[in-house]
Amino acid sequence: MIYTVTFNPSVDYVMHPTTLDMGYTNRSTAEEMYAGGNGINVSTILTELGVDNVAMGFIGGFTGDFVLNTLQQQGINTNFIRLDKGNTRINVKLNGIIMTIINGMGPNIPISKVDELFTRIDRVSSGSTLVLTGSIPSCLPDDMYDMMMSKFSGRGIRFVVDAPGDLLMNALAAEPFFIKPNNHEVGRIFGANPETPEEVLPYARQLHEKGAQNVLVSCGGYGAALVDANGEEHVTRCPPCRLVNATGAGDSMVAGFLAALDRGWSYGDALNYASACGSATAASNGLANRSTIERFYSSLKHLLADEKAHAGEEVVEVVETDDDSEA
């Protein structure tokens, strides 16, 4: 079973204004509302792909009711802790010519409620996967992920961490099963500016050597790179797509990678499927549905096959030239 934890869920209120002029009244042509949060996004894609999972975290107030009802209507298993005070935050996303986002702060989470979450996680069985993703609310310790992994280490739980900066680096000591930074986050960690999958591989290797078993680094439109649990390196491309909304693309990659491994696929194939999931969401208004994901995966397989065939032709041409010169 896969469990996702979202410390600071949200109601994502997406508006489509025709103008965005400060100091004036601006009007929207359409609006949508989604249950948001990194862990929730992972659970949504996993459920869409038919992978059993449970979404955990904290909700509060009428906005928390919206999140819970939305997830349940989508068939997602939930085990959220309800806060006695405060409301789940609202993130306003103004999707105009340039996307502008205003994220709410979220409610205060008492330590007693964190203890309740730990009690529920304590019932998670060996062999399960615990996905820790997203930022930590300011009311909680910065090293919350590290604390959780330390507390539940030695239990046979596979930890997945998708978090920025120190949150990620502090998690490496617990040897997480899978981490997924992007190329910009890797660049900030190592003081570099890698862009392509080939450029991020040396840094992914260093993160692997520091304790992470599988290191998947997303590189936007360039594709992604993976150093797997066996120490082998893989790169993949991004299937052709028109960017609509990048929100949730990274979470979709996490879900796709886990879903592929749940099916018994190889690490290389899991990387390709993760790339397809991320691209499918980037090309969708919200999170991608299964049919879109499968279409993008098919497109990516054809792209990679064409690249492989083209590379093989180039090798043959070089060999033939060498043979002629020797004759």
Side-chain angles (χ1 to χ4, degrees):
M1 179 66 75
I2 298 175
Y3 298 84
T4 67
V5 178
T6 306
F7 277 93
N8 210 2
S10 64
V11 175
D12 287 351
Y13 186 48
V14 183
M15 307 179 73
H16 300 266
T18 55
T19 61
L20 190 57
D21 299 322
M22 298 298 292
Y24 294 88
T25 298
N26 299 273
R27 299 190 182 279
S28 175
T29 59
E31 299 87 31
E32 301 100 37
M33 295 175 65
Y34 303 98
N38 297 98
I40 286 174
N41 291 341
V42 174
S43 276
T44 300
I45 294 293
L46 286 173
T47 301
E48 182 70 20
L49 296 175
V51 179
D52 289 338
N53 72 96
V54 178
M56 306 177 73
F58 303 95
I59 55 172
F62 74 101
T63 46
D65 292 338
F66 172 84
V67 169
L68 186 61
N69 292 336
T70 298
L71 297 183
Q72 290 177 343
Q73 288 171 9
Q74 295 173 352
I76 298 172
N77 296 317
T78 61
N79 190 11
F80 282 91
I81 294 169
R82 181 169 292 278
L83 301 174
D84 300 323
K85 297 180 180 179
N87 296 293
T88 293
R89 62 181 176 156
I90 299 175
N91 293 340
V92 179
K93 302 187 177 186
L94 306 175
N95 194 0
I97 297 175
I98 299 176
M99 173 71 82
T100 301
I101 301 175
I102 305 173
N103 285 347
M105 184 176 66
N108 181 65
I109 303 174
I111 294 300
S112 60
K113 295 296 184 179
V114 176
D115 291 339
E116 186 176 343
L117 174 65
F118 282 10
T119 298
R120 297 188 186 188
I121 295 176
D122 196 47
R123 304 189 186 106
V124 171
S125 61
S126 176
S128 297
T129 299
L130 185 65
V131 180
L132 307 173
T133 179
S135 59
I136 300 296
S138 58
C139 60
L140 296 178
D142 292 338
D143 60 347
M144 179 57 68
Y145 289 165
D146 187 42
M147 290 171 55
M148 293 177 69
M149 288 188 289
S150 297
K151 180 176 179 61
F152 298 107
S153 65
R155 297 274 301 276
I157 298 174
R158 302 193 309 180
F159 297 106
V160 175
V161 181
D162 182 10
D166 289 341
L167 271 176
L168 180 69
M169 296 305 291
N170 291 338
L172 299 181
E175 300 183 351
F177 172 72
F178 170 37
I179 65 172
K180 197 220 70 65
N182 61 43
N183 60 310
H184 301 298
E185 291 165 343
V186 167
R188 285 190 288 270
I189 290 171
F190 292 101
N193 189 33
E195 292 289 340
T196 67
E198 290 79 9
E199 290 172 349
V200 301
L201 270 175
Y203 306 107
R205 171 68 62 184
Q206 291 186 54
L207 293 172
H208 174 76
E209 292 172 350
K210 291 179 181 294
Q213 297 177 46
N214 291 282
V215 181
L216 194 165
V217 183
S218 56
C219 301
Y222 291 105
L226 170 71
V227 177
D228 68 29
N230 300 317
E232 297 181 0
E233 298 180 351
H234 312 266
V235 297
T236 193
R237 303 303 169 200
C238 176
C241 71
R242 182 178 66 87
L243 178 63
V244 174
N245 177 20
T247 301
D251 303 322
S252 299
M253 292 188 72
V254 171
F257 188 78
L258 293 175
L261 295 183
D262 186 71
R263 298 172 185 174
W265 293 11
S266 69
Y267 286 123
D269 288 338
L271 173 64
N272 293 335
Y273 198 66
S275 180
C277 287
S279 297
T281 286
S284 304
N285 285 323
L287 297 175
N289 58 37
R290 184 166 189 166
S291 62
T292 303
I293 289 171
E294 298 303 334
R295 176 165 55 85
F296 272 76
Y297 182 54
S298 177
S299 175
L300 178 58
K301 286 195 296 184
H302 283 103
L303 174 64
L304 295 174
D306 289 343
E307 286 189 354
K308 184 176 181 180
H310 182 67
E313 290 173 1
E314 290 180 344
V315 170
V316 171
E317 290 174 0
V318 170
V319 171
E320 290 177 350
T321 300
D322 288 344
D323 289 344
D324 289 343
S325 63
E326 290 176 357

